[in-house]
Amino acid sequence: MSFSALLAKANGLFVDEEYDDALELYNEAALLPEATPEVYAKRSMCHAKLENWEDVLNDCDKYLEKVPDDTKVLLRKGNALYTLKRFEEAKGTFSSGAKLDAKTFGLWVKKCEAEIKLTESGGKSVAVTTSSAEPKKTSSSGEVAQKPTHSSVFKHEWYQNADYVIVSILAKGFSQEQIVHEFTEDMASVTINIDSDQHWALDLVLCENILPQESTITVTKSKIELKLKKNQPCRWEALEKSDTKSSVTSRPWADTSKVNKHTYPTSSKKPKNWDELDREAAKIDEEEKPSGDAALNKLFQDIYSKADEETRRAMNKSFVESGGTVLSTNWKEVGSKKVEGAPPKGMEKKYYEK
């Protein structure tokens, strides 16, 4: 099989999260005479998913000998060094990258400096991993790997609309206090403080620019959701920048000629049928739509829930004092006097004797 065919097949297995099988094909492709440096960049990604950090470093070095200014591979090398707690070397790598991309690499330089100071002061440093893949059962040398840590298994998926990119990190049971995040124009960084000795980080070098001040993070019981405001309405072709220098150009959101508008990129093996989900949601809404008195009560509930404090006081006072026959939202009108009952037309108000 030719080099290009092996590389394409390995890339397909990598996308399908079949990392062990992909690694075998990358190894085979790297041995061919016509092999290009690209195979080392791709294989380093596979090693990162399998947490073979020393192998990540070897492949990154081989690739960077030929393509020294590739920021994506520089970042991957720095992450591997950081995970191995080789903070001085990691700082050097990130500092080299900062000459090409100050915003992205500057954050990592600061992290390394903080870890170096912590180590010098006698504190315990912690490794941070950006891998979201399941750890490998055996290492590249055939030895049994250590039991995976909690930070090794968080996955993430994403989708988009015209204005936002939404990234969901499938991490359960964390509080807002355990999450640290930072948004820049071209990067989104999230760190989960699992405990005093264990942290997990996801650092995304984004495909397009965002508006950091209008981007938010939400922590729920089942996930952590990043809502990234796009710099302009367009369709992102990927979440992160490509490994190659030739970046993919995003298209205006209205241009849907080549994209199924309900098919969103995701790291999940089972793609979601968004059209079907929309139909099911509409059906549920229709079935649950109230009618008659229930619809009227829901209307009043909606008004009350969205009202300010003064309007709520007016509604409560008028309803109670009128015996449930008057509902006013004007506090100036009902606040200074007792609200008399107003029975429906054709009916007479009567008072029960005590």
Side-chain angles (χ1 to χ4, degrees):
M1 190 179 298
S2 67
F3 171 77
S4 58
L6 279 172
L7 194 63
K9 189 173 181 180
N11 291 342
L13 290 170
F14 180 87
V15 171
D16 292 336
E17 300 182 10
E18 300 292 340
Y19 302 122
D20 291 294
D21 293 336
L23 182 58
E24 290 183 8
L25 293 183
Y26 284 134
N27 289 340
E28 188 176 344
L31 297 175
L32 296 177
E34 66 270 29
T36 65
E38 183 184 3
V39 69
Y40 300 120
K42 297 295 186 182
R43 191 169 65 178
S44 70
M45 292 174 61
C46 199
H47 280 307
K49 291 295 185 181
L50 296 170
E51 300 187 355
N52 302 330
W53 301 114
E54 292 291 348
D55 292 324
V56 172
L57 294 178
N58 291 334
D59 277 344
C60 286
D61 285 339
K62 290 177 181 178
Y63 178 80
L64 291 170
E65 286 179 4
K66 303 294 184 181
V67 192
D69 294 337
D70 191 314
T71 55
K72 188 76 172 182
V73 177
L74 276 170
L75 187 62
R76 188 175 306 127
K77 178 184 177 180
N79 283 334
L81 289 167
Y82 190 100
T83 303
L84 292 170
K85 301 185 181 181
R86 292 157 59 175
F87 301 120
E88 289 286 359
E89 295 175 73
K91 180 184 174 182
T93 299
F94 290 134
S95 297
S96 298
K99 298 175 183 178
L100 304 170
D101 186 345
K103 290 183 179 179
T104 300
F105 287 88
L107 173 64
W108 279 101
V109 171
K110 291 179 182 178
K111 287 184 177 182
C112 290
E113 290 174 345
E115 289 289 353
I116 292 169
K117 289 181 180 179
L118 186 64
T119 304
E120 291 175 348
S121 64
K124 183 184 291 187
S125 62
V126 292
V128 178
T129 174
T130 58
S131 173
S132 61
E134 297 277 352
K136 186 181 180 183
K137 294 182 179 178
T138 59
S139 67
S140 59
S141 62
E143 297 177 353
V144 178
Q146 294 182 348
K147 184 178 179 180
T149 60
H150 183 45
S151 64
S152 301
V153 296
F154 298 144
K155 294 181 180 294
H156 68 278
E157 58 185 14
W158 71 287
Y159 63 96
Q160 62 180 308
N161 56 37
D163 299 313
Y164 290 93
V165 168
I166 294 88
V167 181
S168 296
I169 302 173
L170 308 182
K172 298 180 180 179
F174 292 102
S175 64
Q176 185 73 48
E177 291 71 24
Q178 292 175 276
I179 311 302
V180 178
H181 75 281
E182 181 173 352
F183 298 146
T184 65
E185 289 183 356
D186 58 358
M187 185 174 180
S189 174
V190 178
T191 301
I192 303 175
N193 298 315
I194 299 171
D195 52 42
S196 59
D197 295 329
Q198 194 176 13
H199 297 182
W200 179 91
L202 176 67
D203 296 279
L204 301 172
V205 182
L206 301 172
C207 175
E208 298 287 342
N209 286 349
I210 62 172
L211 300 177
Q213 67 276 15
E214 296 184 35
S215 300
T216 60
I217 182 169
T218 303
V219 181
T220 67
K221 292 181 179 180
S222 60
K223 64 181 178 180
I224 301 167
E225 184 175 273
L226 314 182
K227 190 174 183 181
L228 309 176
K229 174 69 172 179
K230 293 180 178 180
N231 186 45
Q232 59 182 352
C234 63
R235 186 178 299 280
W236 289 19
E237 298 301 327
L239 177 61
E240 297 185 80
K241 286 183 179 177
S242 171
D243 278 318
T244 59
K245 289 186 176 181
S246 56
S247 58
V248 180
T249 303
S250 296
R251 299 193 305 276
W253 183 257
D255 181 7
T256 58
S257 59
K258 298 181 181 179
V259 180
N260 183 335
K261 69 176 180 178
H262 292 296
T263 300
Y264 297 95
T266 175
S267 61
S268 174
K269 291 184 179 181
K270 297 181 179 179
K272 296 178 176 62
N273 187 332
W274 296 101
D275 289 327
E276 184 63 27
L277 289 176
D278 284 343
R279 286 192 291 269
E280 290 180 4
K283 183 178 180 181
I284 292 173
D285 290 342
E286 185 66 28
E287 292 174 352
E288 294 181 351
K289 188 175 181 180
S291 59
D293 290 341
L296 186 61
N297 288 334
K298 187 177 185 306
L299 174 62
F300 291 152
Q301 290 171 2
D302 290 342
I303 294 173
Y304 188 85
S305 64
K306 299 175 182 178
D308 56 29
E309 186 61 29
E310 193 172 85
T311 301
R312 291 184 178 184
R313 289 168 60 194
M315 294 176 72
N316 287 330
K317 185 175 186 296
S318 61
F319 189 82
V320 172
E321 292 183 352
S322 69
T325 60
V326 175
L327 185 64
S328 174
T329 59
N330 190 341
W331 176 250
K332 293 181 179 179
E333 180 182 307
V334 302
S336 59
K337 61 182 180 179
K338 182 179 179 180
V339 180
E340 298 294 335
K345 186 177 181 180
M347 300 184 71
E348 180 182 353
K349 178 175 69 174
K350 292 185 177 182
Y351 295 94
Y352 291 94
E353 295 182 359
K354 295 183 180 180

